[in-house]
Amino acid sequence: MSQSAHTSFLAANEEYVARGGGQPPSLSAVPVKKLAIVTCMDARLNVFAQLGLKEGDAHIIRNAGGMARDAIRSIIISQRMLDTREIAVFRHTLCGMQTFTSAQLRERIREADPGNPALDVVNHTDFLEFTDLEASVKEDVQFLQNHPLVLPETTITGWVYEVETGRIRQIV
Amino acid sequence: MSQSAHTSFLAANEEYVARGGGQPPSLSAVPVKKLAIVTCMDARLNVFAQLGLKEGDAHIIRNAGGMARDAIRSIIISQRMLDTREIAVFRHTLCGMQTFTSAQLRERIREADPGNPALDVVNHTDFLEFTDLEASVKEDVQFLQNHPLVLPETTITGWVYEVETGRIRQIV
């Protein structure tokens, strides 16, 4: 087993506090920019730094791929309970979600553990992989625009982050 | 409508690139620390800074509350396709998820839009609110430990981030 990464958290967190981290007491749970970002869990995405955000600015929802379909519970709460009115959806280049299909992942799990009691759940799980990056951004923006539980007055944009250069570009 | 926050992204991103952002080409989609973090979408959580992470280190999965139940698709992909073997679950103090119940949120949506075609979906959605912070961390760690699709060799820890001080503390 690899060394446990969590053992570095406390010392690093002390440094954050010593640098003056922690929140101005005025910051509530309502994002200052009324913004929710949906993006991938990918380790190379440092969302705050890459978009110039600071503590308090925006909800950051992250999952495998940055898929809006897997973020609806969070988006409803973000809008209805915490007043956000803008959503920015991101994909990124060289995403792991472009390297497999749900069928292949199901097969991998089945082969590793043929007696797993959850194989039936796996067989009915859409892992939401995609092939075309820009098409996937557009689909997600459209999905949100048409979703009956996303507020109609929401500003929705779609973006790609380029892992190779650190640059973003707007698609929608 | 509030001014659109996304209009600041491009200039801020140029600064990130100018500061030498972007990725060492050696960074792949596999997290260097073999770590996945599950935490809340809350705007006050700057995960990289608060835990001393850098680009490439860890998958960051974020949703309303930081609920593991809502992160299973991502965790399966993180472990089976991208080799992580450690999960750290975070909650934080003053979380919006402690301020309402699913019943109240359903009522709010119904009152705002009684003809919404998705009210039936809303009525069957568990919004995963919680009351006791530490109990919720423990529950989530246990949920992951017992989940048949989480690899048994996974190191799983549970934490609270204190919004008031910037400090973290380990619960499990």
Side-chain angles (χ1 to χ4, degrees), chain B residues 95-140:
Chain B
C95 186
M97 300 297 288
Q98 297 172 290
T99 64
F100 68 91
T101 65
S102 286
Q104 288 167 340
L105 177 47
R106 288 183 201 120
E107 179 66 19
R108 179 174 291 205
I109 296 171
R110 205 157 43 226
E111 278 181 3
D113 188 3
N116 194 305
L119 287 184
D120 192 53
V121 174
V122 170
N123 287 337
H124 293 90
T125 299
D126 182 349
F127 288 96
L128 305 179
E129 73 275 14
F130 59 88
T131 48
D132 186 312
L133 202 60
E134 298 195 9
S136 182
V137 172
K138 289 176 190 164
E139 266 171 38
D140 250 17

Side-chain angles (χ1 to χ4, degrees), chain B residues 127-164:
Chain B
F127 288 96
L128 305 179
E129 73 275 14
F130 59 88
T131 48
D132 186 312
L133 202 60
E134 298 195 9
S136 182
V137 172
K138 289 176 190 164
E139 266 171 38
D140 250 17
V141 169
Q142 209 160 40
F143 168 81
L144 290 170
Q145 283 167 339
N146 295 332
H147 198 291
L149 294 171
V150 174
L151 293 171
E153 65 267 35
T154 311
T155 302
I156 305 173
T157 55
W159 303 75
V160 166
Y161 174 78
E162 293 184 350
V163 166
E164 301 91 331

Side-chain angles (χ1 to χ4, degrees), chain B:
Chain B
M1 200 176 71
S2 64
Q3 198 201 339
S4 289
H6 73 265
T7 54
S8 69
F9 287 171
L10 282 169
N13 178 251
E14 279 300 329
E15 282 179 40
Y16 173 76
V17 174
R19 281 199 309 275
Q23 316 296 330
S26 59
L27 279 183
S28 79
V30 175
V32 172
K33 292 182 182 287
K34 311 273 190 214
L35 168 68
I37 290 175
V38 180
T39 191
C40 187
M41 68 179 176
D42 189 282
R44 295 164 294 186
L45 306 192
N46 182 352
V47 181
F48 273 60
Q50 285 154 5
L51 302 180
L53 299 173
K54 58 181 193 303
E55 284 86 340
D57 279 350
H59 282 148
I60 317 275
I61 302 163
R62 299 183 64 170
N63 62 46
M67 312 312 284
R69 267 171 292 174
D70 200 26
I72 283 297
R73 178 186 68 90
S74 298
I75 289 170
I76 291 171
I77 293 168
S78 178
Q79 296 200 323
R80 307 279 174 158
M81 305 307 297
L82 296 159
D83 288 345
T84 62
R85 292 294 182 273
E86 181 173 357
I87 305 172
V89 180
F90 279 79
R91 296 275 182 285
H92 67 94
T93 56
L94 305 179
C95 186
M97 300 297 288
Q98 297 172 290
T99 64
F100 68 91
T101 65
S102 286
Q104 288 167 340
L105 177 47
R106 288 183 201 120
E107 179 66 19
R108 179 174 291 205
I109 296 171
R110 205 157 43 226
E111 278 181 3
D113 188 3
N116 194 305
L119 287 184
D120 192 53
V121 174
V122 170
N123 287 337
H124 293 90
T125 299
D126 182 349
F127 288 96
L128 305 179
E129 73 275 14
F130 59 88
T131 48
D132 186 312
L133 202 60
E134 298 195 9
S136 182
V137 172
K138 289 176 190 164
E139 266 171 38
D140 250 17
V141 169
Q142 209 160 40
F143 168 81
L144 290 170
Q145 283 167 339
N146 295 332
H147 198 291
L149 294 171
V150 174
L151 293 171
E153 65 267 35
T154 311
T155 302
I156 305 173
T157 55
W159 303 75
V160 166
Y161 174 78
E162 293 184 350
V163 166
E164 301 91 331
T165 62
R167 283 182 201 282
I168 56 169
R169 53 196 163 86
Q170 187 168 2
I171 307 297
V172 185

Side-chain angles (χ1 to χ4, degrees), chain A residues 11-22 55, chain B residues 46-53:
Chain A
N13 177 251
E14 279 300 329
E15 282 180 39
Y16 173 76
V17 173
R19 281 199 308 274
E55 284 87 338
Chain B
N46 182 352
V47 181
F48 273 60
Q50 285 154 5
L51 302 180
L53 299 173

Side-chain angles (χ1 to χ4, degrees), chain A residues 35-51 53 58-72 74-75 87-93 95 97 128 130 133 137 140 144 157-163 167-168, chain B residues 9 37 39 41 47-48 58-63 73-74:
Chain A
L35 167 68
I37 289 174
V38 180
T39 191
C40 187
M41 68 180 178
D42 189 281
R44 297 164 293 186
L45 306 192
N46 182 351
V47 182
F48 273 60
Q50 286 155 4
L51 302 181
L53 299 173
H59 282 149
I60 317 276
I61 302 164
R62 299 183 63 169
N63 61 48
M67 312 312 283
R69 267 171 291 177
D70 200 25
I72 284 296
S74 297
I75 290 170
I87 304 172
V89 180
F90 280 78
R91 296 276 181 283
H92 67 94
T93 56
C95 186
M97 300 298 287
L128 304 178
F130 59 88
L133 202 59
V137 172
D140 249 17
L144 290 170
T157 55
W159 304 74
V160 165
Y161 175 78
E162 295 184 350
V163 166
R167 284 183 200 281
I168 57 169
Chain B
F9 287 171
I37 290 175
T39 191
M41 68 179 176
V47 181
F48 273 60
H59 282 148
I60 317 275
I61 302 163
R62 299 183 64 170
N63 62 46
R73 178 186 68 90
S74 298

